[in-house]
Amino acid sequence: MRTSGRVLAISVAASLTFLVVRPLTAGDWPVIFEVLSILLLAVPGFRISAMLGSALVICSVGDFLLGVQRLGSLDGEALFLFGLASFLIAHLVYIALFRKYRAMGWRKPSPLRVLGVLVIVAALGTVLGVLRPSLGSMLIPVVVYSLVLCVMGISAMLADLGTPLAGFGAVLFIASDAILAISKFRGPVRGNVQLIWITYYAAQVLILRGVEYRRK
């Protein structure tokens, strides 16, 4: 097994460990496996593209901030805002990365790409509509984040990577964030911890594989 294959295998193992132990404890320590699984994806990510690796590292910072209940003087709400900011920065890096591969996908989008873009816009618009009455002071931060997330998804959908993997990954990323937002602002969704993590981790792996395919 090549080094990158071994790193990915360890990342998957850490991801599965987090998936199993997170619902079993109220403590913060499972975040170790959460952060580790994404940091390990950044190892092959940097070999493929500095921007890809950087986005994954920034996402791991966001995972940590969202995964702990308190950090020094920062409470859960402050950590949520900082986590949101971390993922917003990561999405901006992803947007810059996908725009490097915008040739044919942007000039002559296929019907499937157009459908993907419409699904992303409709999904995010629907989620914002559902959440709006519950957002309160978080309305502006959540709307700004959602707009950036939408652009990231569209950029991935239109990127000319030779495979739809990154586009599918972006859709899963949006699904994960939507479940997280609904759980936080409207009330827990049954199995939300598992759903959020499975869709999020699969999204990162698919984006990694999609950009890797283009660089071969």
Side-chain angles (χ1 to χ4, degrees):
M1 186 183 293
R2 295 182 303 174
T3 301
S4 59
R6 286 195 293 268
V7 170
L8 181 59
I10 297 170
S11 171
V12 171
S15 173
L16 291 174
T17 301
F18 172 75
L19 190 63
V20 171
V21 302
R22 175 70 276 182
L24 302 178
T25 177
D28 292 340
W29 63 267
V31 76
I32 296 171
F33 298 103
E34 182 180 12
V35 172
L36 178 63
S37 62
I38 302 301
L39 279 178
L40 286 169
L41 292 181
V43 175
F46 275 112
R47 293 173 184 165
I48 298 166
S49 163
M51 283 194 289
L52 177 59
S54 298
L56 287 163
V57 169
I58 297 167
C59 283
S60 72
V61 173
D63 290 329
F64 175 76
L65 293 170
L66 295 180
V68 297
Q69 300 174 46
R70 192 168 193 88
L71 187 64
S73 61
L74 299 176
D75 60 11
E77 289 304 308
L79 289 169
F80 180 80
L81 278 173
F82 282 118
L84 199 69
S86 296
F87 278 105
L88 186 145
I89 294 169
H91 290 316
L92 290 174
V93 177
Y94 273 135
I95 290 168
L97 172 64
F98 293 136
R99 283 180 63 84
K100 289 177 58 180
Y101 307 109
R102 61 180 179 169
M104 294 303 296
W106 290 71
R107 294 174 188 170
K108 297 180 180 179
S110 66
L112 186 60
R113 290 180 191 267
V114 172
L115 177 61
V117 169
L118 293 176
V119 167
I120 288 171
V121 173
L124 282 171
T126 301
V127 172
L128 280 176
V130 170
L131 294 179
R132 189 179 183 281
S134 308
L135 291 175
S137 62
M138 289 295 295
L139 177 62
I140 293 177
V142 170
V143 168
V144 170
Y145 177 82
S146 298
L147 290 174
V148 173
L149 178 63
C150 184
V151 175
M152 186 280 290
I154 293 172
S155 299
M157 196 63 63
L158 297 180
D160 187 20
L161 298 172
T163 174
L165 291 178
F168 290 138
V171 170
L172 287 178
F173 213 133
I174 291 168
S176 178
D177 279 359
I179 299 167
L180 188 154
I182 291 170
S183 298
K184 179 172 178 62
F185 296 109
R186 296 287 290 183
V189 177
R190 187 175 181 180
N192 64 307
V193 173
Q194 294 87 348
L195 285 172
I196 291 167
W197 181 253
I198 291 170
T199 50
Y200 168 71
Y201 184 75
Q204 298 285 33
V205 172
L206 288 173
I207 290 172
L208 174 72
R209 288 305 195 190
V211 180
E212 180 184 39
Y213 185 90
R214 179 63 174 78
R215 293 298 297 268
K216 287 181 178 179

